[in-house]
Amino acid sequence: MIKDFFDPETWTYTYVVYERGGAPCVIIDSVLNYDPKSGRTSTKSADEVITFIKAHQLQVDWILETHAHADHLTAAPYLQSHLGGKLVIGDHITNVQEVFKGVFNLDDHFKVDGTQFDHLLKEGELLTFGNLSLKALFVPGHTPACMAYEIGDAIFVGDTLFMPDVGTARCDFPGGDAKRLYQSIQKILSYPDQTKLYMCHDYPPNNRPATDMTTVADEKANNIHVHDGVTEAQFVQMRTTRDKTLEMPTLILPSIQVNIRAGHFPEADSNGVSYLKIPLNAL
């Protein structure tokens, strides 16, 4: 069973996947609410997940990220503190940590070995939770460390693909690569047509309601960026041209600093307050 939670401020879907009430479960791509004007965080979105999990007497085995998000902060440590479970991301997160350690000029206390997380997933690795299992799919391009998660007849695609009328993810963040994204998308679209694809985000045009799921067949037929017949060269040209017109996400600077730490805040200063850096003219 799949339960979705939509955060309208960041257009983000969080998922709880489980077999039945009382069974083990996983949480995918949680949200910690953040007000960029005041720098205050809140746990409204995460608390909805906690309420659901407790009401269904689920046991959290794994709290997963598809990648180090640039548009929202993860609530993984907060969820772990209330529900247990292990924090998980793909093993190429170390590449992202290395890049952004430089961007933010982080000191030697920040390790670039992924040890902020409890487990780093490799391509093709399986995680079990109860009678269900999850397979890790390495799908770089949007970032160099993106993972998708295959569970049964569903794939949780992260930011690799969006709904057909929205298209595909940008590739102009540090380490992004449009050619690799095209190849990753083809990897996902090689699955059977009926495979369900669950989005991490939806940015619905034309006032349609936000939607969390489409299929391989629908993406191949209708995705505005990468439908059947679009070549790699055409996609790279489109993606490169389009990305030059896009503004940076509102929350990229706070999000990345927190998310490369598995959702933990930077170590507090002597006054007990944690601070984030804003690098000027760096991105």
Side-chain angles (χ1 to χ4, degrees):
M1 302 183 74
I2 298 170
K3 170 63 177 176
D4 68 18
F5 301 83
F6 185 63
D7 176 60
E9 293 181 359
T10 62
W11 307 94
T12 303
Y13 280 104
T14 297
Y15 298 98
V16 175
V17 186
Y18 60 105
E19 182 183 18
R20 52 178 172 74
C25 71
V26 299
I27 302 170
I28 302 173
D29 288 336
S30 63
V31 175
L32 181 71
N33 304 104
Y34 177 80
D35 177 10
K37 296 174 183 169
S38 66
R40 297 196 66 85
T41 62
S42 64
T43 58
K44 177 179 180 294
S45 292
D47 288 334
E48 292 176 2
V49 175
I50 292 171
T51 297
F52 176 85
I53 285 174
K54 289 185 173 179
H56 290 78
Q57 299 180 313
L58 304 176
Q59 294 91 50
V60 177
D61 282 356
W62 309 100
I63 302 173
L64 298 122
E65 307 292 343
T66 51
H67 62 293
H69 307 276
D71 43 28
H72 70 274
L73 282 67
T74 177
Y78 176 76
L79 292 170
Q80 185 182 48
S81 69
H82 286 267
L83 300 169
K86 292 184 177 181
L87 308 186
V88 182
I89 201 166
D91 62 347
H92 287 76
I93 187 61
T94 54
N95 299 338
V96 177
Q97 291 176 326
E98 183 72 44
V99 168
F100 282 100
K101 182 172 184 174
V103 170
F104 294 111
N105 195 30
L106 302 177
D107 62 28
D108 289 340
H109 288 100
F110 177 74
K111 304 299 183 184
V112 294
D113 57 4
T115 53
Q116 299 86 350
F117 297 84
D118 297 316
H119 186 73
L120 301 183
L121 277 171
K122 299 182 183 299
E123 159 71 9
E125 185 176 348
L126 298 178
L127 294 179
T128 60
F129 52 108
N131 295 318
L132 301 179
S133 65
L134 170 152
K135 182 180 179 181
L137 306 175
F138 182 43
V139 288
H142 172 58
T143 80
C146 288
M147 283 286 190
Y149 299 124
E150 178 186 351
I151 305 176
D153 64 350
I155 301 175
F156 298 82
V157 299
D159 284 8
T160 304
L161 277 166
F162 298 138
M163 293 297 291
D165 59 355
V166 179
T168 57
R170 65 194 298 166
C171 299
D172 59 332
F173 297 153
D177 187 313
K179 182 175 180 179
R180 296 189 82 187
L181 180 61
Y182 181 88
Q183 294 165 355
S184 294
I185 289 170
Q186 298 311 310
K187 180 178 184 176
I188 290 171
L189 296 185
S190 70
Y191 276 76
D193 282 353
Q194 66 271 21
T195 304
K196 300 172 184 176
L197 304 179
Y198 284 88
M199 308 290 105
C200 180
H201 300 284
D202 188 27
Y203 308 99
N206 304 319
N207 296 315
R208 72 159 170 78
T211 306
D212 67 345
M213 189 271 290
T214 183
T215 64
V216 165
D218 198 13
E219 292 283 10
K220 290 196 296 187
N222 300 309
N223 189 287
I224 59 174
H225 294 165
V226 72
H227 55 78
D228 278 349
V230 174
T231 67
E232 181 181 285
Q234 289 172 328
F235 177 80
V236 170
Q237 176 63 33
M238 177 282 300
R239 192 69 267 169
T240 303
T241 302
R242 178 173 170 77
D243 287 350
K244 291 177 180 177
T245 71
L246 301 178
E247 295 181 349
M248 286 288 105
T250 300
L251 299 185
I252 184 171
L253 294 175
S255 293
I256 291 292
Q257 289 178 77
V258 170
N259 293 340
I260 60 175
R261 293 178 166 93
H264 299 287
F265 296 158
E267 186 176 349
D269 277 8
S270 58
N271 62 357
V273 177
S274 293
Y275 291 86
L276 298 174
K277 290 185 173 184
I278 304 295
L280 300 178
N281 304 315
L283 293 181

